[in-house]
């Protein structure tokens, strides 16, 4: 495949060829990025600039408070309380000691008539 008369160099070229192709790809990406940053490619620079402007507008208008509230509810919401409560109910049936969380929930939901 390679025009080398030396078999060692030929084998080495076969092994290093994929690495050279990766370096060529990285070099092409770096050159494209450099041309965009230096405004040498007017069309691509135009689209990158307008994409950045659009991203700024979208990120400014995005409802971050609602988004993080929804993420918090999904990640730390009541389903985790229910899982913990069910685990404490199961463990309280197996042992005498009731968990603090289960006692707090029982205290929270007991009526005023029971407390007096």
């Amino acid at each position: 495949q390679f025009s080398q008369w030396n078999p060692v160099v030929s084998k080495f070229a076969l092994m290093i060829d994929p690495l050279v192709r990766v370096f060529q790809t990285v070099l092409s990406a770096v050159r494209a990025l450099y041309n965009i940053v230096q405004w040498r490619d007017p069309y691509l620079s135009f689209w990158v600039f307008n994409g950045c402007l659009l991203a700024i507008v979208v990120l400014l208008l995005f409802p971050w408070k609602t988004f993080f509230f929804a993420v918090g509810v999904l990640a730390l919401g009541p389903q985790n309380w229910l899982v913990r409560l069910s685990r404490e109910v199961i463990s309280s049936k197996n042992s005498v000691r009731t968990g603090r969380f289960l006692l707090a929930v029982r205290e929270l939901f007991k009526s005023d008539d029971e407390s007096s």
Side-chain angles (χ1 to χ4, degrees), residues 16-33:
I16 203 152
D17 186 49
L19 187 62
V20 170
R21 290 178 192 260
V22 169
F23 283 143
Q24 285 175 342
T25 305
V26 170
L27 182 62
S28 296
V30 168
R31 283 181 179 165
L33 183 64

mmCIF file with all atom_site columns, all heavy atoms in Angstrom, residues 16-33:
data_model
loop_
_atom_site.group_PDB
_atom_site.id
_atom_site.type_symbol
_atom_site.label_atom_id
_atom_site.label_alt_id
_atom_site.label_comp_id
_atom_site.label_asym_id
_atom_site.label_entity_id
_atom_site.label_seq_id
_atom_site.pdbx_PDB_ins_code
_atom_site.Cartn_x
_atom_site.Cartn_y
_atom_site.Cartn_z
_atom_site.occupancy
_atom_site.B_iso_or_equiv
_atom_site.pdbx_formal_charge
_atom_site.auth_seq_id
_atom_site.auth_comp_id
_atom_site.auth_asym_id
_atom_site.auth_atom_id
_atom_site.pdbx_PDB_model_num
ATOM 1   N N   . ILE A 1 16 ? 0.633   3.555  12.076 1.00 0.00 ? 16 ILE A N   1
ATOM 2   C CA  . ILE A 1 16 ? 0.505   4.960  12.445 1.00 0.00 ? 16 ILE A CA  1
ATOM 3   C C   . ILE A 1 16 ? -0.498  5.708  11.556 1.00 0.00 ? 16 ILE A C   1
ATOM 4   O O   . ILE A 1 16 ? -0.900  6.828  11.876 1.00 0.00 ? 16 ILE A O   1
ATOM 5   C CB  . ILE A 1 16 ? 1.883   5.642  12.441 1.00 0.00 ? 16 ILE A CB  1
ATOM 6   C CG1 . ILE A 1 16 ? 1.850   6.868  13.336 1.00 0.00 ? 16 ILE A CG1 1
ATOM 7   C CG2 . ILE A 1 16 ? 2.304   6.049  11.067 1.00 0.00 ? 16 ILE A CG2 1
ATOM 8   C CD1 . ILE A 1 16 ? 3.140   7.227  13.925 1.00 0.00 ? 16 ILE A CD1 1
ATOM 9   N N   . ASP A 1 17 ? -0.934  5.108  10.479 1.00 0.00 ? 17 ASP A N   1
ATOM 10  C CA  . ASP A 1 17 ? -1.873  5.756  9.558  1.00 0.00 ? 17 ASP A CA  1
ATOM 11  C C   . ASP A 1 17 ? -3.177  6.198  10.236 1.00 0.00 ? 17 ASP A C   1
ATOM 12  O O   . ASP A 1 17 ? -3.612  7.330  10.004 1.00 0.00 ? 17 ASP A O   1
ATOM 13  C CB  . ASP A 1 17 ? -2.151  4.840  8.373  1.00 0.00 ? 17 ASP A CB  1
ATOM 14  C CG  . ASP A 1 17 ? -3.008  5.514  7.329  1.00 0.00 ? 17 ASP A CG  1
ATOM 15  O OD1 . ASP A 1 17 ? -2.677  6.667  6.956  1.00 0.00 ? 17 ASP A OD1 1
ATOM 16  O OD2 . ASP A 1 17 ? -4.006  4.911  6.893  1.00 0.00 ? 17 ASP A OD2 1
ATOM 17  N N   . PRO A 1 18 ? -3.821  5.382  11.087 1.00 0.00 ? 18 PRO A N   1
ATOM 18  C CA  . PRO A 1 18 ? -5.041  5.870  11.745 1.00 0.00 ? 18 PRO A CA  1
ATOM 19  C C   . PRO A 1 18 ? -4.793  7.072  12.647 1.00 0.00 ? 18 PRO A C   1
ATOM 20  O O   . PRO A 1 18 ? -5.616  7.989  12.718 1.00 0.00 ? 18 PRO A O   1
ATOM 21  C CB  . PRO A 1 18 ? -5.515  4.668  12.560 1.00 0.00 ? 18 PRO A CB  1
ATOM 22  C CG  . PRO A 1 18 ? -4.890  3.495  11.917 1.00 0.00 ? 18 PRO A CG  1
ATOM 23  C CD  . PRO A 1 18 ? -3.603  3.966  11.354 1.00 0.00 ? 18 PRO A CD  1
ATOM 24  N N   . LEU A 1 19 ? -3.641  7.102  13.308 1.00 0.00 ? 19 LEU A N   1
ATOM 25  C CA  . LEU A 1 19 ? -3.309  8.234  14.169 1.00 0.00 ? 19 LEU A CA  1
ATOM 26  C C   . LEU A 1 19 ? -3.118  9.510  13.350 1.00 0.00 ? 19 LEU A C   1
ATOM 27  O O   . LEU A 1 19 ? -3.569  10.590 13.747 1.00 0.00 ? 19 LEU A O   1
ATOM 28  C CB  . LEU A 1 19 ? -2.042  7.911  14.965 1.00 0.00 ? 19 LEU A CB  1
ATOM 29  C CG  . LEU A 1 19 ? -1.642  8.898  16.040 1.00 0.00 ? 19 LEU A CG  1
ATOM 30  C CD1 . LEU A 1 19 ? -2.718  8.988  17.109 1.00 0.00 ? 19 LEU A CD1 1
ATOM 31  C CD2 . LEU A 1 19 ? -0.323  8.490  16.650 1.00 0.00 ? 19 LEU A CD2 1
ATOM 32  N N   . VAL A 1 20 ? -2.492  9.383  12.202 1.00 0.00 ? 20 VAL A N   1
ATOM 33  C CA  . VAL A 1 20 ? -2.293  10.542 11.325 1.00 0.00 ? 20 VAL A CA  1
ATOM 34  C C   . VAL A 1 20 ? -3.644  11.055 10.818 1.00 0.00 ? 20 VAL A C   1
ATOM 35  O O   . VAL A 1 20 ? -3.868  12.266 10.735 1.00 0.00 ? 20 VAL A O   1
ATOM 36  C CB  . VAL A 1 20 ? -1.361  10.170 10.143 1.00 0.00 ? 20 VAL A CB  1
ATOM 37  C CG1 . VAL A 1 20 ? -1.334  11.270 9.099  1.00 0.00 ? 20 VAL A CG1 1
ATOM 38  C CG2 . VAL A 1 20 ? 0.033   9.879  10.651 1.00 0.00 ? 20 VAL A CG2 1
ATOM 39  N N   . ARG A 1 21 ? -4.558  10.152 10.523 1.00 0.00 ? 21 ARG A N   1
ATOM 40  C CA  . ARG A 1 21 ? -5.896  10.581 10.075 1.00 0.00 ? 21 ARG A CA  1
ATOM 41  C C   . ARG A 1 21 ? -6.642  11.329 11.178 1.00 0.00 ? 21 ARG A C   1
ATOM 42  O O   . ARG A 1 21 ? -7.333  12.314 10.909 1.00 0.00 ? 21 ARG A O   1
ATOM 43  C CB  . ARG A 1 21 ? -6.696  9.380  9.605  1.00 0.00 ? 21 ARG A CB  1
ATOM 44  C CG  . ARG A 1 21 ? -6.181  8.786  8.320  1.00 0.00 ? 21 ARG A CG  1
ATOM 45  C CD  . ARG A 1 21 ? -7.002  7.560  7.939  1.00 0.00 ? 21 ARG A CD  1
ATOM 46  N NE  . ARG A 1 21 ? -6.363  6.818  6.884  1.00 0.00 ? 21 ARG A NE  1
ATOM 47  C CZ  . ARG A 1 21 ? -6.724  6.896  5.608  1.00 0.00 ? 21 ARG A CZ  1
ATOM 48  N NH1 . ARG A 1 21 ? -7.707  7.689  5.253  1.00 0.00 ? 21 ARG A NH1 1
ATOM 49  N NH2 . ARG A 1 21 ? -6.092  6.178  4.706  1.00 0.00 ? 21 ARG A NH2 1
ATOM 50  N N   . VAL A 1 22 ? -6.502  10.874 12.428 1.00 0.00 ? 22 VAL A N   1
ATOM 51  C CA  . VAL A 1 22 ? -7.129  11.583 13.557 1.00 0.00 ? 22 VAL A CA  1
ATOM 52  C C   . VAL A 1 22 ? -6.531  12.975 13.688 1.00 0.00 ? 22 VAL A C   1
ATOM 53  O O   . VAL A 1 22 ? -7.251  13.969 13.875 1.00 0.00 ? 22 VAL A O   1
ATOM 54  C CB  . VAL A 1 22 ? -6.967  10.773 14.860 1.00 0.00 ? 22 VAL A CB  1
ATOM 55  C CG1 . VAL A 1 22 ? -7.362  11.603 16.059 1.00 0.00 ? 22 VAL A CG1 1
ATOM 56  C CG2 . VAL A 1 22 ? -7.790  9.505  14.800 1.00 0.00 ? 22 VAL A CG2 1
ATOM 57  N N   . PHE A 1 23 ? -5.210  13.073 13.593 1.00 0.00 ? 23 PHE A N   1
ATOM 58  C CA  . PHE A 1 23 ? -4.557  14.376 13.677 1.00 0.00 ? 23 PHE A CA  1
ATOM 59  C C   . PHE A 1 23 ? -4.986  15.297 12.538 1.00 0.00 ? 23 PHE A C   1
ATOM 60  O O   . PHE A 1 23 ? -5.143  16.504 12.734 1.00 0.00 ? 23 PHE A O   1
ATOM 61  C CB  . PHE A 1 23 ? -3.038  14.231 13.684 1.00 0.00 ? 23 PHE A CB  1
ATOM 62  C CG  . PHE A 1 23 ? -2.478  13.786 15.005 1.00 0.00 ? 23 PHE A CG  1
ATOM 63  C CD1 . PHE A 1 23 ? -1.407  12.912 15.054 1.00 0.00 ? 23 PHE A CD1 1
ATOM 64  C CD2 . PHE A 1 23 ? -3.013  14.229 16.205 1.00 0.00 ? 23 PHE A CD2 1
ATOM 65  C CE1 . PHE A 1 23 ? -0.880  12.495 16.267 1.00 0.00 ? 23 PHE A CE1 1
ATOM 66  C CE2 . PHE A 1 23 ? -2.506  13.818 17.411 1.00 0.00 ? 23 PHE A CE2 1
ATOM 67  C CZ  . PHE A 1 23 ? -1.437  12.951 17.450 1.00 0.00 ? 23 PHE A CZ  1
ATOM 68  N N   . GLN A 1 24 ? -5.195  14.754 11.349 1.00 0.00 ? 24 GLN A N   1
ATOM 69  C CA  . GLN A 1 24 ? -5.670  15.568 10.235 1.00 0.00 ? 24 GLN A CA  1
ATOM 70  C C   . GLN A 1 24 ? -7.072  16.115 10.514 1.00 0.00 ? 24 GLN A C   1
ATOM 71  O O   . GLN A 1 24 ? -7.367  17.275 10.220 1.00 0.00 ? 24 GLN A O   1
ATOM 72  C CB  . GLN A 1 24 ? -5.682  14.750 8.949  1.00 0.00 ? 24 GLN A CB  1
ATOM 73  C CG  . GLN A 1 24 ? -4.325  14.510 8.356  1.00 0.00 ? 24 GLN A CG  1
ATOM 74  C CD  . GLN A 1 24 ? -4.371  13.597 7.137  1.00 0.00 ? 24 GLN A CD  1
ATOM 75  O OE1 . GLN A 1 24 ? -5.352  12.884 6.921  1.00 0.00 ? 24 GLN A OE1 1
ATOM 76  N NE2 . GLN A 1 24 ? -3.309  13.613 6.342  1.00 0.00 ? 24 GLN A NE2 1
ATOM 77  N N   . THR A 1 25 ? -7.925  15.286 11.104 1.00 0.00 ? 25 THR A N   1
ATOM 78  C CA  . THR A 1 25 ? -9.278  15.739 11.433 1.00 0.00 ? 25 THR A CA  1
ATOM 79  C C   . THR A 1 25 ? -9.244  16.838 12.492 1.00 0.00 ? 25 THR A C   1
ATOM 80  O O   . THR A 1 25 ? -9.934  17.856 12.377 1.00 0.00 ? 25 THR A O   1
ATOM 81  C CB  . THR A 1 25 ? -10.122 14.547 11.930 1.00 0.00 ? 25 THR A CB  1
ATOM 82  O OG1 . THR A 1 25 ? -10.091 13.522 10.946 1.00 0.00 ? 25 THR A OG1 1
ATOM 83  C CG2 . THR A 1 25 ? -11.546 14.958 12.199 1.00 0.00 ? 25 THR A CG2 1
ATOM 84  N N   . VAL A 1 26 ? -8.435  16.642 13.525 1.00 0.00 ? 26 VAL A N   1
ATOM 85  C CA  . VAL A 1 26 ? -8.319  17.651 14.581 1.00 0.00 ? 26 VAL A CA  1
ATOM 86  C C   . VAL A 1 26 ? -7.747  18.941 14.008 1.00 0.00 ? 26 VAL A C   1
ATOM 87  O O   . VAL A 1 26 ? -8.223  20.038 14.332 1.00 0.00 ? 26 VAL A O   1
ATOM 88  C CB  . VAL A 1 26 ? -7.457  17.105 15.739 1.00 0.00 ? 26 VAL A CB  1
ATOM 89  C CG1 . VAL A 1 26 ? -7.119  18.204 16.731 1.00 0.00 ? 26 VAL A CG1 1
ATOM 90  C CG2 . VAL A 1 26 ? -8.164  15.962 16.433 1.00 0.00 ? 26 VAL A CG2 1
ATOM 91  N N   . LEU A 1 27 ? -6.747  18.826 13.154 1.00 0.00 ? 27 LEU A N   1
ATOM 92  C CA  . LEU A 1 27 ? -6.149  20.006 12.548 1.00 0.00 ? 27 LEU A CA  1
ATOM 93  C C   . LEU A 1 27 ? -7.157  20.761 11.678 1.00 0.00 ? 27 LEU A C   1
ATOM 94  O O   . LEU A 1 27 ? -7.215  21.997 11.705 1.00 0.00 ? 27 LEU A O   1
ATOM 95  C CB  . LEU A 1 27 ? -4.926  19.616 11.718 1.00 0.00 ? 27 LEU A CB  1
ATOM 96  C CG  . LEU A 1 27 ? -4.164  20.760 11.058 1.00 0.00 ? 27 LEU A CG  1
ATOM 97  C CD1 . LEU A 1 27 ? -3.611  21.708 12.106 1.00 0.00 ? 27 LEU A CD1 1
ATOM 98  C CD2 . LEU A 1 27 ? -3.055  20.208 10.187 1.00 0.00 ? 27 LEU A CD2 1
ATOM 99  N N   . SER A 1 28 ? -7.990  20.042 10.952 1.00 0.00 ? 28 SER A N   1
ATOM 100 C CA  . SER A 1 28 ? -9.023  20.696 10.141 1.00 0.00 ? 28 SER A CA  1
ATOM 101 C C   . SER A 1 28 ? -10.019 21.442 11.025 1.00 0.00 ? 28 SER A C   1
ATOM 102 O O   . SER A 1 28 ? -10.435 22.561 10.704 1.00 0.00 ? 28 SER A O   1
ATOM 103 C CB  . SER A 1 28 ? -9.757  19.666 9.292  1.00 0.00 ? 28 SER A CB  1
ATOM 104 O OG  . SER A 1 28 ? -8.888  19.082 8.365  1.00 0.00 ? 28 SER A OG  1
ATOM 105 N N   . ALA A 1 29 ? -10.402 20.837 12.147 1.00 0.00 ? 29 ALA A N   1
ATOM 106 C CA  . ALA A 1 29 ? -11.334 21.494 13.071 1.00 0.00 ? 29 ALA A CA  1
ATOM 107 C C   . ALA A 1 29 ? -10.706 22.738 13.681 1.00 0.00 ? 29 ALA A C   1
ATOM 108 O O   . ALA A 1 29 ? -11.360 23.786 13.806 1.00 0.00 ? 29 ALA A O   1
ATOM 109 C CB  . ALA A 1 29 ? -11.762 20.519 14.150 1.00 0.00 ? 29 ALA A CB  1
ATOM 110 N N   . VAL A 1 30 ? -9.431  22.658 14.077 1.00 0.00 ? 30 VAL A N   1
ATOM 111 C CA  . VAL A 1 30 ? -8.752  23.821 14.659 1.00 0.00 ? 30 VAL A CA  1
ATOM 112 C C   . VAL A 1 30 ? -8.627  24.931 13.621 1.00 0.00 ? 30 VAL A C   1
ATOM 113 O O   . VAL A 1 30 ? -8.836  26.111 13.942 1.00 0.00 ? 30 VAL A O   1
ATOM 114 C CB  . VAL A 1 30 ? -7.372  23.399 15.218 1.00 0.00 ? 30 VAL A CB  1
ATOM 115 C CG1 . VAL A 1 30 ? -6.526  24.609 15.567 1.00 0.00 ? 30 VAL A CG1 1
ATOM 116 C CG2 . VAL A 1 30 ? -7.555  22.510 16.426 1.00 0.00 ? 30 VAL A CG2 1
ATOM 117 N N   . ARG A 1 31 ? -8.304  24.582 12.388 1.00 0.00 ? 31 ARG A N   1
ATOM 118 C CA  . ARG A 1 31 ? -8.198  25.600 11.329 1.00 0.00 ? 31 ARG A CA  1
ATOM 119 C C   . ARG A 1 31 ? -9.550  26.266 11.063 1.00 0.00 ? 31 ARG A C   1
ATOM 120 O O   . ARG A 1 31 ? -9.627  27.480 10.876 1.00 0.00 ? 31 ARG A O   1
ATOM 121 C CB  . ARG A 1 31 ? -7.671  24.974 10.044 1.00 0.00 ? 31 ARG A CB  1
ATOM 122 C CG  . ARG A 1 31 ? -6.201  24.723 10.074 1.00 0.00 ? 31 ARG A CG  1
ATOM 123 C CD  . ARG A 1 31 ? -5.728  24.131 8.777  1.00 0.00 ? 31 ARG A CD  1
ATOM 124 N NE  . ARG A 1 31 ? -4.282  23.914 8.792  1.00 0.00 ? 31 ARG A NE  1
ATOM 125 C CZ  . ARG A 1 31 ? -3.640  23.170 7.925  1.00 0.00 ? 31 ARG A CZ  1
ATOM 126 N NH1 . ARG A 1 31 ? -4.305  22.575 6.951  1.00 0.00 ? 31 ARG A NH1 1
ATOM 127 N NH2 . ARG A 1 31 ? -2.341  23.024 8.016  1.00 0.00 ? 31 ARG A NH2 1
ATOM 128 N N   . ALA A 1 32 ? -10.627 25.475 11.059 1.00 0.00 ? 32 ALA A N   1
ATOM 129 C CA  . ALA A 1 32 ? -11.960 26.046 10.847 1.00 0.00 ? 32 ALA A CA  1
ATOM 130 C C   . ALA A 1 32 ? -12.324 26.984 11.993 1.00 0.00 ? 32 ALA A C   1
ATOM 131 O O   . ALA A 1 32 ? -12.852 28.083 11.764 1.00 0.00 ? 32 ALA A O   1
ATOM 132 C CB  . ALA A 1 32 ? -12.988 24.936 10.712 1.00 0.00 ? 32 ALA A CB  1
ATOM 133 N N   . LEU A 1 33 ? -12.038 26.575 13.219 1.00 0.00 ? 33 LEU A N   1
ATOM 134 C CA  . LEU A 1 33 ? -12.319 27.426 14.377 1.00 0.00 ? 33 LEU A CA  1
ATOM 135 C C   . LEU A 1 33 ? -11.496 28.713 14.320 1.00 0.00 ? 33 LEU A C   1
ATOM 136 O O   . LEU A 1 33 ? -12.008 29.799 14.602 1.00 0.00 ? 33 LEU A O   1
ATOM 137 C CB  . LEU A 1 33 ? -12.039 26.654 15.669 1.00 0.00 ? 33 LEU A CB  1
ATOM 138 C CG  . LEU A 1 33 ? -12.355 27.367 16.966 1.00 0.00 ? 33 LEU A CG  1
ATOM 139 C CD1 . LEU A 1 33 ? -13.855 27.626 17.065 1.00 0.00 ? 33 LEU A CD1 1
ATOM 140 C CD2 . LEU A 1 33 ? -11.889 26.546 18.143 1.00 0.00 ? 33 LEU A CD2 1
#
